Every structure is written in C-alpha cells, then in structure tokens.
Amino acid sequence: LVFKYSVHYFAFLEASVAEGRSVGFIAKQVFKDFLNTLSLALRFYILLLRVNVYDTLDDFLDSYYIFVGDFDEDGDQDVVISVSDGAPVMFRNDQSTEHHWLRVELEGVGSNQDGIGALVELEVGGRLQKQLVMPTRSYLSQCEKALTFGLGQQEAVNSITINWPNGQREVFAVPVIDTTIRLRQGEG
C-alpha cells in the first residue's frame, strides 16, 4: 500500500501541482481511492464466504492480488483473485440491467502514452462523474487502464473532459455509448 501511494501517484501529484490544486484536494482524492479499494476488497471477501468458495476468511486472506477489468467487454467490471495455493478465481459480472455504459481508453503523447494520472470528467444527465487513470489497486496487482462509466438510463453523454497529467485540458464529444472509445491527446 505504501508503495502504491508513494510511487504511482507521482503523475497525479505532478499534474495537481501544475494545475494549482490544493493539498486538501490531493489528500481527498488519495483517501477516496484508498476507501474505494478497501470497500471493493471487503465486498469480495464477503461474497466469497457467502458462496462458499472458501471455508474461512483465513483461506481467502492468503491471496496475492485482485484484478478488476471488463473481461467480456459488456460494460461491467469482472474480478479475478489469485490464491497462493490454488488457481485464480474469476467472478464474471453478468447482469442484464439494460443500463448504458461507456468505457474510455486514453492515449497520451510523449513519455506518458497511457495517460496515467489523467483525471477524466464525464458529464451525463446533469451529473458529473470523475475517475482517475490509476491502474494500481492492491499488492502485486494492476487493473486495466480503461475507465468504465455507468450511465444508467441516460442515452447520451453531454461531454467528456480530460485533464492530462501535463496540465493540458481537453473536451471531447461522445458520439456513441455502450462501447469503448479511445481518446488521443491533442485531438479534443
């Protein structure tokens, strides 16, 4: 955990300082990411016990990583958990809620081609959703770099704004939903 917050947040911190963000804003983002990670881990621990994949919590706590990503490209997050003395366990999220979604992949230019540290703001239905491109989540793990936004019943996205780590801010149009879009820096 210390490694995650000391190494992988450099890009986020650099962009935040360049944009003149306050220390309070930075601390709030880091703490929020930590709470989201903890909440996700606890929910899956409980789920594993409820479906009797493991007899005790001690069996499950001997795992190394949790990988969250959309393996089946259907707009919802699936989870893989490694176990030290067994095969990884995959939990596919196969809901049929009829809700809309949008996955966003970023392509930066220069030295940060993955857009690590970019803040993505999606405006939909009068609400603003924000996600930080930070693919680290737990020890020895990495999640996919694509960001998944849930749109609910909304059938269109008003706009998407990318705050790139180098301080550049771009607004992109979103012509389609229920798919993955790739946004390249400098083309907004």
Side-chain angles (χ1 to χ4, degrees):
L1 191 60
V2 171
F3 178 76
K4 172 184 175 181
Y5 290 107
S6 63
V7 175
H8 295 287
Y9 273 88
F10 282 148
F12 169 69
L13 292 173
E14 184 179 322
S16 296
V17 170
E19 293 177 10
R21 293 182 177 155
S22 70
V23 173
F25 172 84
I26 295 168
K28 186 171 142 184
Q29 288 296 114
V30 170
F31 185 67
K32 189 165 128 183
D33 185 49
F34 172 77
L35 288 179
N36 286 341
T37 302
L38 182 62
S39 172
L40 179 67
L42 289 175
R43 280 185 259 155
F44 285 109
Y45 291 155
I46 292 166
L47 173 66
L48 289 173
L49 293 174
R50 289 175 69 188
V51 296
N52 294 323
V53 173
Y54 297 100
D55 294 327
T56 68
L57 187 58
D58 289 337
D59 293 337
F60 180 70
L61 289 176
D62 200 15
S63 63
Y64 288 110
Y65 66 82
I66 296 176
F67 177 88
V68 179
D70 188 6
F71 289 98
D72 48 7
E73 298 181 352
D74 62 352
D76 54 34
Q77 300 292 288
D78 307 303
V79 177
V80 172
I81 300 172
S82 79
V83 181
S84 63
D85 60 350
V89 179
M90 180 174 181
F91 296 92
R92 282 195 41 199
N93 186 357
D94 289 328
Q95 302 180 55
S96 59
T97 62
E98 306 286 327
H99 289 177
H100 298 289
W101 51 275
L102 181 68
R103 290 176 38 84
V104 178
E105 293 178 346
L106 298 184
E107 183 181 341
V109 295
S111 62
N112 189 356
Q113 296 181 354
D114 293 323
I116 304 293
L119 181 64
V120 179
E121 301 172 344
L122 182 124
E123 186 181 340
V124 59
R127 299 185 74 178
L128 187 65
Q129 295 184 39
K130 296 180 182 183
Q131 289 191 45
L132 182 67
V133 179
M134 192 58 57
T136 57
R137 292 291 182 265
S138 65
Y139 177 68
L140 292 178
S141 83
Q142 176 174 330
C143 297
E144 64 181 348
K145 291 173 281 210
L147 302 174
T148 301
F149 291 90
L151 307 178
Q153 299 297 321
Q154 300 295 322
E155 296 184 356
V157 171
N158 300 55
S159 68
I160 189 164
T161 304
I162 313 297
N163 298 291
W164 297 97
N166 68 356
Q168 180 182 4
R169 183 175 170 93
E170 288 185 277
V171 178
F172 292 84
V174 181
V176 294
I177 60 171
D178 297 332
T179 191
T180 301
I181 61 171
R182 186 166 187 84
L183 304 177
R184 182 173 166 77
Q185 187 174 7
E187 295 181 0

